[in-house]
Every structure is written in structure tokens, then in C-alpha cells.
Coordinates of all heavy atoms in Angstrom, one line a residue:
E1 N 23.1 118.3 -117.6 CA 23.6 117.3 -118.7 C 22.4 116.6 -119.3 O 21.5 116.1 -118.5 CB 24.6 116.3 -118.1 CG 25.9 117.0 -117.7 CD 26.9 115.9 -117.3 OE1 27.0 114.9 -118.0 OE2 27.6 116.1 -116.3
P2 N 22.3 116.4 -120.6 CA 21.3 115.6 -121.1 C 21.5 114.1 -120.8 O 22.6 113.7 -120.4 CB 21.5 115.8 -122.7 CG 23.0 116.2 -122.9 CD 23.3 116.9 -121.6
A3 N 20.4 113.4 -121.1 CA 20.4 112.0 -120.8 C 21.4 111.3 -121.8 O 21.7 111.9 -122.9 CB 19.1 111.4 -120.9
P4 N 22.0 110.2 -121.4 CA 22.9 109.5 -122.4 C 22.1 109.0 -123.6 O 20.8 108.9 -123.6 CB 23.4 108.3 -121.6 CG 22.4 108.1 -120.5 CD 21.9 109.5 -120.1
E5 N 22.7 108.7 -124.6 CA 22.1 108.2 -125.8 C 21.5 106.8 -125.7 O 20.5 106.4 -126.2 CB 23.0 108.2 -127.1 CG 22.3 107.7 -128.3 CD 23.3 107.9 -129.5 OE1 24.5 107.8 -129.3 OE2 22.8 107.9 -130.7
L6 N 22.2 106.0 -124.8 CA 21.9 104.5 -124.7 C 21.9 104.2 -123.2 O 22.8 104.5 -122.5 CB 22.9 103.7 -125.4 CG 22.8 102.2 -125.3 CD1 21.5 101.6 -125.7 CD2 24.0 101.5 -125.8
S7 N 20.9 103.4 -122.8 CA 20.9 102.8 -121.5 C 20.9 101.3 -121.7 O 20.1 100.7 -122.5 CB 19.6 103.1 -120.7 OG 19.5 104.5 -120.3
V8 N 21.9 100.6 -121.1 CA 22.0 99.2 -121.2 C 21.4 98.6 -119.9 O 21.9 98.9 -118.8 CB 23.4 98.6 -121.4 CG1 23.5 97.2 -121.4 CG2 24.0 99.3 -122.6
I9 N 20.3 97.7 -120.0 CA 19.7 97.2 -118.9 C 20.3 95.8 -118.6 O 20.2 94.9 -119.5 CB 18.2 97.1 -119.1 CG1 17.6 98.3 -119.7 CG2 17.5 96.7 -117.9 CD1 17.9 99.6 -118.8
L10 N 20.8 95.6 -117.4 CA 21.3 94.3 -117.0 C 20.5 93.7 -115.9 O 20.6 94.1 -114.7 CB 22.7 94.4 -116.5 CG 23.8 94.8 -117.5 CD1 25.1 94.8 -116.9 CD2 23.7 94.0 -118.8
P11 N 19.5 92.9 -116.1 CA 18.7 92.2 -115.0 C 19.7 91.2 -114.3 O 20.4 90.5 -115.0 CB 17.6 91.4 -115.8 CG 18.1 91.3 -117.2 CD 19.0 92.4 -117.4
A12 N 19.6 91.2 -113.0 CA 20.7 90.5 -112.3 C 20.1 89.8 -111.1 O 19.2 90.3 -110.4 CB 21.8 91.4 -111.9
F13 N 20.7 88.6 -110.8 CA 20.4 87.9 -109.5 C 21.7 87.1 -109.2 O 22.0 86.2 -110.0 CB 19.2 87.0 -109.6 CG 18.9 86.3 -108.2 CD1 18.3 87.1 -107.2 CD2 19.1 85.0 -108.0 CE1 18.1 86.5 -105.9 CE2 18.8 84.4 -106.8 CZ 18.3 85.2 -105.8
N14 N 22.4 87.4 -108.1 CA 23.6 86.8 -107.8 C 24.6 86.9 -108.9 O 25.3 85.9 -109.3 CB 23.4 85.3 -107.4 CG 22.7 85.1 -106.1 OD1 22.7 86.0 -105.2 ND2 22.2 84.0 -105.8
E15 N 24.9 88.1 -109.4 CA 25.8 88.4 -110.4 C 27.0 89.2 -110.0 O 27.6 89.9 -110.8 CB 25.1 89.0 -111.6 CG 24.0 88.1 -112.3 CD 24.5 87.0 -113.1 OE1 25.8 86.8 -113.1 OE2 23.7 86.2 -113.6
R16 N 27.3 89.3 -108.7 CA 28.3 90.1 -108.1 C 29.6 89.9 -108.9 O 30.3 90.9 -109.1 CB 28.5 89.8 -106.6 CG 29.6 90.6 -106.0 CD 29.7 90.2 -104.5 NE 30.9 90.8 -103.9 CZ 30.8 92.0 -103.3 NH1 29.7 92.6 -103.1 NH2 31.9 92.6 -102.8
A17 N 30.0 88.7 -109.1 CA 31.3 88.5 -109.8 C 31.4 89.0 -111.1 O 32.4 89.3 -111.7 CB 31.7 87.0 -109.7
N18 N 30.2 89.1 -111.8 CA 30.2 89.5 -113.2 C 30.1 91.0 -113.5 O 30.5 91.5 -114.6 CB 29.0 88.8 -113.9 CG 29.2 87.2 -114.0 OD1 30.4 86.9 -114.3 ND2 28.2 86.5 -114.0
I19 N 29.5 91.7 -112.6 CA 29.1 93.2 -112.8 C 30.4 94.0 -113.1 O 30.5 94.7 -114.1 CB 28.4 93.7 -111.6 CG1 27.1 93.1 -111.4 CG2 28.3 95.3 -111.8 CD1 26.1 93.2 -112.6
P20 N 31.5 93.9 -112.4 CA 32.7 94.7 -112.7 C 33.3 94.5 -114.1 O 33.6 95.4 -114.9 CB 33.7 94.3 -111.6 CG 32.9 93.7 -110.5 CD 31.7 93.1 -111.1
M21 N 33.2 93.2 -114.5 CA 33.8 92.8 -115.8 C 32.8 93.3 -116.9 O 33.2 93.7 -118.0 CB 33.9 91.3 -115.9 CG 35.2 90.9 -115.2 SD 35.4 89.1 -115.3 CE 34.3 88.5 -114.1
M22 N 31.5 93.3 -116.7 CA 30.5 93.8 -117.6 C 30.6 95.2 -117.8 O 30.6 95.7 -119.0 CB 29.1 93.4 -117.2 CG 28.7 92.0 -117.3 SD 28.9 91.4 -119.1 CE 27.8 92.5 -119.9
V23 N 30.9 95.9 -116.8 CA 31.1 97.5 -116.9 C 32.3 97.7 -117.7 O 32.4 98.6 -118.6 CB 31.2 98.1 -115.5 CG1 31.6 99.6 -115.6 CG2 29.9 98.0 -114.7
E24 N 33.4 97.0 -117.5 CA 34.6 97.2 -118.2 C 34.5 96.8 -119.7 O 34.9 97.5 -120.5 CB 35.7 96.3 -117.6 CG 37.1 96.4 -118.3 CD 38.1 95.5 -117.7 OE1 37.9 95.1 -116.5 OE2 39.1 95.3 -118.3
R25 N 33.8 95.8 -120.0 CA 33.5 95.4 -121.3 C 32.6 96.3 -122.1 O 32.8 96.6 -123.3 CB 32.9 94.0 -121.4 CG 33.9 92.9 -121.0 CD 33.3 91.5 -120.8 NE 32.6 91.0 -121.9 CZ 32.2 89.7 -122.0 NH1 32.6 88.8 -121.1 NH2 31.6 89.2 -123.1
L26 N 31.6 96.9 -121.4 CA 30.8 97.9 -122.0 C 31.6 99.2 -122.3 O 31.4 99.8 -123.3 CB 29.6 98.2 -121.1 CG 28.5 97.2 -121.0 CD1 27.5 97.5 -119.9 CD2 27.8 96.9 -122.2
S27 N 32.5 99.5 -121.4 CA 33.3 100.7 -121.6 C 34.1 100.6 -122.9 O 34.3 101.6 -123.6 CB 34.2 100.9 -120.4 OG 33.5 101.2 -119.2
R28 N 34.7 99.4 -123.1 CA 35.5 99.2 -124.4 C 34.6 99.2 -125.6 O 34.9 99.8 -126.6 CB 36.2 97.9 -124.2 CG 37.3 98.0 -123.2 CD 38.4 96.8 -123.4 NE 37.7 95.5 -123.4 CZ 37.6 94.8 -122.3 NH1 38.1 95.2 -121.2 NH2 37.0 93.6 -122.3
A29 N 33.5 98.5 -125.5 CA 32.6 98.3 -126.6 C 31.8 99.6 -127.1 O 31.5 99.7 -128.3 CB 31.6 97.2 -126.3
L30 N 31.6 100.5 -126.1 CA 30.8 101.7 -126.4 C 31.6 102.9 -126.5 O 31.1 104.0 -126.2 CB 29.6 101.8 -125.4 CG 28.6 100.6 -125.4 CD1 27.6 100.7 -124.2 CD2 27.8 100.6 -126.8
D31 N 32.9 102.8 -126.8 CA 33.7 104.0 -126.9 C 33.2 104.9 -128.0 O 33.0 104.4 -129.1 CB 35.2 103.6 -127.2 CG 36.1 104.7 -127.2 OD1 36.0 105.7 -126.4 OD2 37.1 104.7 -128.0
G32 N 32.9 106.2 -127.7 CA 32.4 107.1 -128.6 C 30.9 107.2 -128.5 O 30.3 108.1 -129.2
I33 N 30.2 106.4 -127.7 CA 28.8 106.5 -127.5 C 28.5 107.0 -126.1 O 29.1 106.5 -125.1 CB 28.1 105.1 -127.8 CG1 28.3 104.8 -129.2 CG2 26.6 105.2 -127.5 CD1 27.8 103.3 -129.6
D34 N 27.6 107.9 -125.9 CA 27.2 108.3 -124.5 C 26.2 107.3 -124.0 O 25.1 107.2 -124.5 CB 26.6 109.7 -124.6 CG 26.3 110.3 -123.2 OD1 26.9 109.7 -122.3 OD2 25.7 111.3 -123.1
W35 N 26.6 106.5 -122.9 CA 25.9 105.4 -122.5 C 25.9 105.4 -120.9 O 26.6 106.0 -120.2 CB 26.5 104.1 -123.0 CG 27.9 103.9 -122.4 CD1 29.1 104.4 -122.9 CD2 28.3 103.0 -121.3 NE1 30.1 104.0 -122.2 CE2 29.7 103.2 -121.2 CE3 27.6 102.3 -120.5 CZ2 30.4 102.5 -120.2 CZ3 28.2 101.6 -119.5 CH2 29.6 101.7 -119.3
E36 N 24.9 104.6 -120.4 CA 24.9 104.2 -119.0 C 24.4 102.8 -118.9 O 23.9 102.2 -119.9 CB 23.9 105.1 -118.2 CG 22.4 104.9 -118.6 CD 21.4 105.7 -117.8 OE1 21.8 106.2 -116.8 OE2 20.2 105.6 -118.2
V37 N 24.7 102.2 -117.8 CA 24.2 100.7 -117.5 C 23.3 100.8 -116.3 O 23.7 101.5 -115.2 CB 25.4 99.8 -117.3 CG1 26.3 100.2 -116.2 CG2 24.9 98.4 -117.2
I38 N 22.2 100.2 -116.3 CA 21.2 100.1 -115.2 C 21.2 98.7 -114.8 O 20.6 97.9 -115.6 CB 19.9 100.7 -115.5 CG1 20.0 102.1 -116.0 CG2 18.9 100.5 -114.4 CD1 18.6 102.7 -116.5
V39 N 21.8 98.3 -113.6 CA 21.7 96.9 -113.1 C 20.5 96.9 -112.3 O 20.2 97.6 -111.3 CB 22.9 96.6 -112.3 CG1 22.8 95.2 -111.7 CG2 24.2 96.7 -113.1
V40 N 19.5 96.0 -112.7 CA 18.2 95.7 -112.0 C 18.4 94.5 -111.2 O 18.3 93.3 -111.8 CB 17.0 95.7 -113.0 CG1 15.7 95.6 -112.1 CG2 17.1 96.9 -113.9
D41 N 18.6 94.6 -109.8 CA 19.0 93.4 -109.0 C 17.7 93.0 -108.2 O 17.2 93.8 -107.5 CB 20.1 93.8 -108.1 CG 20.5 92.6 -107.2 OD1 20.7 91.5 -107.6 OD2 20.5 92.9 -106.0
D42 N 17.4 91.7 -108.3 CA 16.2 91.2 -107.5 C 16.7 90.8 -106.0 O 16.6 89.7 -105.7 CB 15.7 90.0 -108.2 CG 14.8 90.4 -109.4 OD1 14.7 91.6 -109.6 OD2 14.3 89.6 -110.1
N43 N 17.3 91.8 -105.4 CA 17.7 91.7 -104.0 C 18.6 90.5 -103.7 O 18.4 89.6 -102.9 CB 16.4 91.5 -103.1 CG 16.6 91.8 -101.6 OD1 17.6 92.7 -101.3 ND2 15.9 91.3 -100.8
S44 N 19.6 90.3 -104.5 CA 20.6 89.2 -104.5 C 21.2 89.0 -103.1 O 21.8 90.1 -102.7 CB 21.6 89.3 -105.6 OG 21.1 89.4 -106.9
P45 N 21.3 87.9 -102.6 CA 22.0 87.7 -101.3 C 23.5 87.8 -101.4 O 24.2 87.9 -100.4 CB 21.5 86.3 -100.9 CG 21.1 85.6 -102.1 CD 20.6 86.6 -103.1

């Protein structure tokens, strides 16, 4: 499979409560676009 058209980078630290909602919001906003999300986490406790 080819790479997606868009990678969305989410730098994160202690964002556990927000990640599921962000994935859901991106799914709605990017309907029709081949995308992925890369969460870059600084070893959040």
C-alpha cells in the first residue's frame, strides 16, 4: 500500500485524555483524504 497523502503530527506530553477524541475528530474532518496521525510522546507518565 502506498503511503497516505497526509501525516498529522501530534506532539504530546500527558495528553492521554485527549488522544481518543483527537483521532475521532480527525476521522470526521479528513473524510475522503488518505491520512495517518503520528503521536510523538515525550515519555508521558
Side-chain angles (χ1 to χ4, degrees):
E1 290 186 42
E5 183 179 21
L6 171 66
S7 293
V8 180
I9 313 302
L10 299 183
F13 184 73
N14 285 344
E15 299 288 1
R16 178 185 174 91
N18 291 326
I19 297 301
M21 283 178 284
M22 286 301 301
V23 172
E24 182 180 343
R25 288 168 61 162
L26 289 172
S27 296
R28 292 197 301 265
L30 295 172
D31 185 36
I33 297 176
D34 190 8
W35 64 279
E36 67 174 353
V37 58
I38 303 176
V39 178
V40 187
D41 177 52
D42 283 358
N43 201 28
S44 301

